[in-house]
């Protein structure tokens, strides 16, 4: 930590060129000032002090202000219940005569993000309405909420996104949950870049904002954000633990590091976690190699190990409780048909292509090449790797100095490219755990690695003096590099025109090609470009800023909670919370019923509820392969008098199946199915022979079983 009024000799304000692997050093001694006989006596100047050894990140005023702004915006959003989830889409999906923009502050809801507004939000409301319990059959069997939802359990210590539900109202808790993820990204990556760039403020801020604004982050509702941020924070914590000699620093850092690692681990999304863990491990190894003279021999090893052991003991106790409670559920998830245990070997490539982000302005959630699946699947990160990598290698050659962090980042990107485009042998894929990383998901961490590589390279350029390199750079290098940059950017246009299925014309690519020729040209260290960093940082933020329109600005949960279907169903659920429900019709109506906290057999199930539901519907497990999956479950009437009481469980698609049967079947009476909501008129009076109308909602009717 800094001391007020003091500044390190090589603080960002001095901006002196430094060697790539240099460390912060005190300024050279200065001679006493010479004064003339006529000049008045002056006090001797105060010596400029270097940052303390533990102050690897110099927390000057602007860094503190920046961190405060990040936290302040987060708290402001929580206060106003703002978030970026497309919940107002419900106003169109199930219109009830209410305001068309209920819950919408600005922007346009994106129907493509139904995992957030149609699955996630109803699940969260369901668990809130049932008291944040660890079991909730409306979302799945066993202890599904422990894996997916806010619950009252010690494990919540490591789930910062769920903290808001424990002390705020549900709407502000929901805002806290979704806004905490980008906050973690901004804090973690800003501090990471400050550390590895040796406190280059503007470069660090731009690096953090680039990861924040990239479509691979934004269009996935910031799902990757917390994982990226935790990796950055873990890197910073590990470096402080290695370098610090002050127990007031490294003891709390040890506990914080364990908290961060556990928080990252229980995010439980291996397709992102595994590659990103490799990326930051490679970077940490590179940092240790760069700074080996300061790291070795290690200092205060025993106390640091004791601190880590103490933190691990506390974390291990909570993890043990969590594992004991969730072990059966994890085994059940792993044993499903879908997603089950992944066994990937890679080699299937990108959904779009590695350079599609250069032309992302031409596509949106309604307009994109059909072969690219959807706007979320094709989104990733700007790719400067084909330019940065050869330039970094040339820089190593000309300076005769290797930056091992750059080497680590390049190695990661190359290994990810091999995974994406070529694949690994099955044994290697399993041994490295990459077998759990589908390539369509691997493109996100690969893109993150490319952005980290880019900013590490830019940081290295600040530490190199062009005048010192002039003698080492051959005359042919600059023109050849310029031709290579132009050829590369033209090639990106060629690839995208061919991939875009006629949606991108050659003439449309002129401005992006020109822009990215200039952007990539700014990376060429042999060109003496004034304001290089300012131009590049400004250019990349300018290009990415429109991604903020990818999600709407929404408020609260009113598109669900004020909908007439929700309110009428919830009234019945509150009167009879143990009764089970079935929706006969639209899957979207099932999502709405789930939100009320109803014990619903239809809806989205994380895993099947074998003990309570399928032990009755399929006691011999004859149709297990149809329902043993994460699935969207619907119901339709099927009455076959010749075969008696027949229930059919039929898979419709990879993550969906239908239950077909007689609504008045004794099986449903045994399951205490008391309410059935029809979104259409029953086909024949016979199918509701055991029911009476409870509530009429326009074209929908809620029937109550009476026999």
């Amino acid at each position: 930590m800094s001391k007020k009024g003091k500044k390190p000799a090589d603080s960002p304000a001095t901006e002196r060129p430094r060697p790539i692997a240099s460390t912060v050093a005190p300024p050279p001694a200065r001679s006493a000032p010479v004064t003339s006989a006529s000049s008045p006596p002056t006090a001797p100047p105060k010596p400029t002090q270097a940052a303390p050894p533990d102050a690897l990140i110099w927390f000057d005023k602007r860094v503190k202000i920046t961190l405060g702004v990040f936290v302040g915006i987060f708290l402001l959003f929580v206060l106003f219940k703002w978030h970026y989830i497309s919940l107002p889409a419900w106003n169109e999906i199930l219109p009830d005569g209410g305001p068309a923009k209920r819950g919408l502050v600005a922007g346009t809801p994106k129907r493509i993000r139904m995992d957030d507004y149609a699955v996630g939000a109803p699940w969260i409301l369901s668990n809130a309405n049932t008291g944040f319990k660890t079991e909730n059959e409306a979302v799945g069997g066993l202890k599904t909420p422990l894996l997916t939802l806010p619950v009252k359990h010690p494990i919540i210590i490591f789930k910062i996104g769920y903290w808001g539900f424990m002390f705020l109202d549900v709407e502000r808790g929901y805002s806290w949950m979704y806004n905490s993820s980008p906050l973690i990204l901004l804090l973690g990556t800003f501090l990471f870049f400050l550390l590895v760039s040796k406190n280059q403020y503007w470069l660090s801020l731009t690096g953090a904002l680039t990861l924040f604004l990239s479509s691979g982050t934004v269009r996935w509702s910031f799902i990757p954000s917390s994982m990226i941020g935790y990796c950055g924070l873990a890197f910073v914590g590990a470096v402080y633990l290695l370098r610090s000699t002050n127990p007031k620093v490294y003891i709390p850092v040890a506990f914080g590091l364990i908290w961060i690692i556990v928080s990252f681990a229980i995010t439980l999304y291996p397709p992102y976690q595994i590659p990103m863990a490799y990326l930051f491990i490679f970077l940490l190894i590179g940092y240790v190699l760069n700074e080996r003279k300061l790291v070795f021999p290690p200092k205060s090893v025993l106390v640091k190990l004791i601190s880590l052991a103490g933190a691990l003991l506390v974390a291990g106790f909570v993890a043990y409780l969590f594992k004991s409670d969730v072990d059966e559920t994890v085994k059940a998830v792993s044993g499903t048909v879908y997603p089950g245990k992944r066994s990937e070997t890679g080699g299937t490539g990108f959904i779009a292509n590695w350079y599609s982000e250069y032309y992302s302005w031409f596509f949106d959630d309604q307009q994109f090449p059909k072969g690219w699946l959807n706007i979320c699947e094709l989104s990733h990160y700007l790719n400067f790797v084909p330019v940065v990598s050869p330039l970094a290698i040339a820089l190593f050659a000309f300076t005769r100095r290797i930056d091992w962090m750059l080497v680590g980042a390049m190695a990661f990107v190359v290994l990810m490219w091999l995974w994406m485009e070529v694949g690994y042998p099955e044994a290697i894929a399993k041994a490295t755990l990459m077998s759990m990383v589908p390539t369509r998901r691997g493109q996100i961490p690969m893109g993150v690695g490319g952005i980290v590589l880019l900013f590490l390279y830019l940081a290295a350029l600040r530490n190199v003096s062009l005048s010192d390199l002039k003698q080492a750079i051959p005359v042919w290098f600059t023109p050849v590099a310029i031709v290579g940059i132009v050829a590369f950017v033209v090639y990106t246009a060629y690839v995208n025109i061919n991939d875009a299925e006629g949606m991108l014309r050659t003439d449309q690519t002129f401005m992006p090609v020109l822009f990215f020729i200039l952007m990539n040209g700014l990376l060429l260290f042999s060109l003496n470009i004034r304001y290089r960093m300012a131009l590049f940082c400004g250019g990349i933020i300018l290009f990415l800023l429109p991604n903020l329109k990818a999600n709407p600005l929404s408020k609260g949960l009113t598109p669900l909670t004020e909908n007439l279907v929700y309110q009428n169903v919830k009234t019945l659920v509150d009167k009879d919370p143990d009764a089970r429900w079935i929706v006969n019709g639209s899957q979207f109506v099932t999502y709405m019923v789930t939100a009320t906290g109803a014990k619903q057999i239809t809806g989205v199930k994380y895993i099947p509820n074998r003990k309570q539901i399928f032990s009755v519907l399929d006691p011999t497990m004859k149709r297990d392969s149809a329902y043993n999956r994460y699935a969207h479950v619907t119901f339709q009437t099927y009455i076959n008098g010749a075969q008696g009481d027949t229930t059919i469980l039929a898979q419709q698609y990879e993550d969906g199946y239908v239950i077909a049967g007689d609504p008045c079947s004794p099986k449903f009476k045994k399951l205490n199915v008391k309410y059935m909501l029809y979104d259409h008129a029953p086909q024949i009076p016979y199918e509701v022979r055991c029911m009476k109308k409870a509530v009429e909602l326009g074209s929908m009717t809620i029937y109550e079983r009476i026999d």
Side-chain angles (χ1 to χ4, degrees):
M1 298 294 291
S2 64
K3 296 181 179 179
K4 188 174 181 181
K6 297 179 181 179
K7 184 166 59 178
D10 284 339
S11 69
T14 62
E15 297 185 345
R16 294 201 299 266
R18 294 184 286 263
I20 291 177
S22 66
T23 59
V24 176
R30 293 182 294 180
S31 59
V34 178
T35 59
S36 65
S38 59
S39 62
T42 58
K46 295 182 179 180
T48 304
Q49 295 186 8
D54 287 337
L56 299 166
I57 298 173
W58 190 247
F59 289 93
D60 61 7
K61 185 177 180 180
R62 60 183 175 179
V63 168
K64 292 177 182 177
I65 290 174
T66 302
L67 296 173
V69 168
F70 291 159
V71 174
I73 292 174
F74 164 75
L75 294 176
L76 184 69
F77 270 57
V78 172
L79 176 65
F80 286 101
K81 308 177 187 179
W82 289 344
H83 55 81
Y84 44 84
I85 303 304
S86 294
L87 281 177
W90 279 105
N91 299 328
E92 298 177 2
I93 295 169
L94 287 182
D96 63 344
K101 293 188 176 182
R102 183 165 52 198
L104 182 65
V105 178
T108 306
K110 302 300 187 290
R111 295 284 289 269
I112 186 62
R113 293 305 307 156
M114 68 175 294
D115 283 352
D116 302 324
Y117 67 79
V119 178
W123 276 9
I124 290 166
L125 262 176
S126 175
N127 228 43
N129 284 326
T130 53
F132 297 111
K133 297 177 181 178
T134 59
E135 294 186 32
N136 184 345
E137 66 179 62
V139 302
L142 301 174
K143 295 188 176 181
T144 289
L146 259 180
L147 293 178
T148 58
L149 297 170
V151 293
K152 291 179 179 178
H153 188 277
I155 197 63
I156 204 169
I157 294 170
F158 298 102
K159 295 190 174 187
I160 190 173
Y162 294 160
W163 290 359
F165 289 106
M166 300 299 109
F167 64 92
L168 298 171
D169 59 83
V170 174
E171 289 189 309
R172 289 187 172 87
Y174 187 79
S175 174
W176 176 292
M177 184 185 78
Y178 275 103
N179 290 307
S180 63
S181 190
L183 174 66
I184 293 168
L185 179 145
L186 289 170
L187 294 176
T189 57
F190 179 54
L191 294 175
F192 166 78
F193 284 123
L194 280 172
L195 177 61
V196 299
S197 71
K198 300 188 186 302
N199 295 295
Q200 296 182 39
Y201 172 82
W202 290 110
L203 197 64
S204 301
L205 180 59
T206 304
L209 291 177
T210 298
L211 288 168
F212 170 78
L213 292 170
S214 292
S215 63
T217 304
V218 175
R219 289 197 178 276
W220 282 106
S221 303
F222 294 95
I223 289 172
S225 295
S226 63
M227 289 172 268
I228 300 170
Y230 280 137
C231 285
L233 289 171
F235 182 97
V236 172
V239 170
Y240 267 80
L241 194 63
L242 287 169
R243 294 277 302 273
S244 176
T245 58
N246 184 351
K248 292 182 179 180
V249 173
Y250 63 69
I251 290 177
V253 163
F255 279 81
L257 180 59
I258 297 301
W259 183 88
I260 291 164
I261 292 172
V262 174
S263 298
F264 172 78
I266 63 173
T267 305
L268 296 178
Y269 195 71
Y272 290 168
Q273 289 173 291
I274 290 169
M276 281 198 272
Y278 277 124
L279 168 62
F280 281 85
I281 288 171
F282 287 3
L283 294 174
L284 185 59
I285 293 171
Y287 179 89
V288 170
L289 290 174
N290 280 350
E291 307 290 347
R292 54 192 177 275
K293 292 182 180 179
L294 295 173
V295 173
F296 298 106
K299 303 169 182 66
S300 308
V301 176
L302 182 59
V303 181
K304 291 177 181 178
L305 289 176
I306 292 173
S307 302
L308 284 172
L312 280 170
L313 189 63
V314 175
F317 175 71
V318 177
Y320 171 77
L321 295 176
F322 176 66
K323 184 180 184 301
S324 300
D325 285 340
V326 85
D327 195 46
E328 186 182 2
T329 308
V330 171
K331 289 178 181 177
V333 174
S334 300
T336 56
V337 178
Y338 170 83
K341 290 183 178 179
R342 299 186 188 271
S343 184
E344 305 280 340
T345 56
T348 55
F350 282 83
I351 295 297
N353 61 70
W354 202 1
Y355 316 110
S356 59
E357 284 299 292
Y358 279 28
Y359 306 93
S360 58
W361 282 9
F362 296 103
F363 309 112
D364 56 35
D365 57 313
Q366 300 296 320
Q367 182 178 352
F368 56 88
K370 299 305 178 186
W372 294 1
L373 297 185
N374 59 60
I375 194 64
C376 300
E377 296 286 358
L378 68 87
S379 298
H380 45 104
Y381 296 79
L382 287 171
N383 178 23
F384 293 90
V385 172
V387 172
V388 169
S389 293
L391 288 179
I393 293 170
L395 192 62
F396 298 162
F398 296 148
T399 60
R400 297 183 180 179
R401 184 179 291 119
I402 296 177
D403 185 324
W404 291 104
M405 285 194 72
L406 276 173
V407 172
M410 285 190 286
F412 171 80
V413 173
V414 170
L415 290 171
M416 284 301 297
W417 181 87
L418 289 172
W419 174 253
M420 300 287 294
E421 301 293 352
V422 180
Y424 294 171
E426 185 176 358
I428 294 177
K430 289 182 177 179
T432 58
L433 303 181
M434 290 296 291
S435 58
M436 293 190 282
V437 184
T439 55
R440 64 192 291 185
R441 298 292 173 252
Q443 65 189 28
I444 296 296
M446 182 183 183
V448 171
I451 296 298
V452 171
L453 172 61
L454 169 66
F455 281 90
L456 287 175
Y457 173 78
L458 289 170
L461 290 189
R462 292 293 295 269
N463 296 323
V464 175
S465 172
L466 180 61
S467 59
D468 295 338
L469 286 177
K470 282 184 178 179
Q471 300 299 321
I473 301 175
V475 293
W476 53 263
F477 177 78
T478 299
V480 168
I482 291 173
V483 170
I485 287 170
V486 172
F488 160 68
V489 179
V490 171
Y491 173 72
T492 67
Y494 168 78
V495 169
N496 279 274
I497 290 169
N498 283 349
D499 276 3
E501 302 169 4
M503 296 185 68
L504 184 62
R505 302 188 311 270
T506 303
D507 61 292
Q508 290 177 306
T509 65
F510 175 77
M511 288 304 295
V513 165
L514 179 60
F515 177 78
F516 282 107
I517 286 174
L518 296 174
M519 288 291 288
N520 280 280
L522 290 170
L523 301 175
L524 185 51
F525 58 81
S526 60
L527 293 177
N528 190 7
I529 303 173
R530 195 176 185 186
Y531 306 122
R532 180 200 306 270
M533 295 299 170
L535 290 170
F536 188 90
C537 292
I540 198 168
I541 296 300
L542 179 67
F543 183 84
L544 294 174
L545 207 55
N547 283 339
L548 284 178
K549 298 187 297 183
N551 300 300
L553 180 61
S554 306
K555 180 178 181 178
L557 296 164
T558 54
L560 283 169
T561 57
E562 291 185 4
N563 189 284
L564 287 178
V565 175
Y566 176 93
Q567 292 181 340
N568 280 274
V569 171
K570 191 166 188 313
T571 298
L572 295 174
V573 171
D574 290 344
K575 289 180 180 178
D576 193 354
D578 293 326
R580 287 196 172 99
W581 287 68
I582 285 178
V583 172
N584 194 322
S586 166
Q587 67 186 66
F588 281 97
V589 180
T590 72
Y591 308 149
M592 182 68 77
V593 171
T594 293
T596 65
K599 289 185 173 182
Q600 184 188 186
I601 291 176
T602 43
V604 182
K605 310 299 177 185
Y606 191 73
I607 54 174
N609 188 339
R610 295 180 180 278
K611 292 182 179 180
Q612 283 82 29
I613 306 299
F614 291 101
S615 60
V616 175
L617 296 182
D618 187 31
T620 63
M621 298 179 64
K622 180 180 178 181
R623 299 184 182 274
D624 178 76
S625 61
Y627 59 79
N628 185 27
R629 62 186 68 244
Y630 170 95
H632 299 253
V633 187
T634 55
F635 180 89
Q636 64 185 42
T637 299
Y638 175 75
I639 301 176
N640 189 336
Q643 296 182 4
D645 183 20
T646 302
T647 302
I648 296 175
L649 300 161
Q651 179 189 347
Q652 294 177 301
Y653 36 92
E654 189 175 46
D655 61 349
Y657 64 88
V658 62
I659 302 172
D662 183 350
C664 288
S665 166
K667 294 176 183 176
F668 296 128
K669 183 176 181 179
K670 183 177 181 180
L671 289 170
N672 194 32
V673 176
K674 191 172 181 180
Y675 296 99
M676 183 166 289
L677 192 159
Y678 279 78
D679 70 348
H680 57 278
Q683 296 178 8
I684 54 174
Y686 183 74
E687 67 177 287
V688 292
R689 64 192 181 278
C690 60
M691 312 175 197
K692 68 175 182 179
K693 289 183 179 180
V695 179
E696 289 194 63
L697 296 168
S699 62
M700 298 185 192
T701 306
I702 300 174
Y703 287 87
E704 180 182 356
R705 187 158 185 151
I706 56 175
D707 71 349

